[in-house]
Amino acid sequence: YIIMCLFTDTGLAYFIALFQLGTHFIIDVLKGKCNVWFPLAANPANKLHWILFGFDQFLHGLVIILMAYFING
């Protein structure tokens, strides 16, 4: 948040920080629920675990790209 304030106004920085916090929470909660709904996904020896992990990381990266878009858009 502090670094974002250097590049944008405070209101937008608050929005970006809350957007990051909210989406990070939702993505991680859904990943945790997938591990409960699909017990095989909790086992690192299973391919589904790594597919879910990769999708989780993809979504986190997409959020960062959207944050940059909001700041520069």
Side-chain angles (χ1 to χ4, degrees):
Y1 167 76
I2 295 170
I3 294 173
M4 283 189 292
C5 284
L6 298 174
F7 297 101
T8 188
D9 65 280
T10 308
L12 182 58
Y14 275 126
F15 170 76
I16 296 295
L18 289 174
F19 177 74
Q20 165 66 11
L21 181 67
T23 55
H24 191 95
F25 176 78
I26 291 168
I27 291 167
D28 286 348
V29 165
L30 287 175
K31 182 182 175 208
K33 288 193 179 286
C34 282
N35 287 334
V36 172
W37 295 332
F38 307 105
L40 290 175
N43 181 2
N46 191 311
K47 185 178 180 180
L48 180 60
H49 171 84
W50 295 106
I51 292 170
L52 186 60
F53 180 79
F55 186 64
D56 169 76
Q57 293 303 303
F58 168 76
L59 290 176
H60 285 299
L62 185 62
V63 167
I64 292 170
I65 291 169
L66 286 172
M67 289 168 52
Y69 175 78
F70 288 143
I71 290 171
N72 293 318

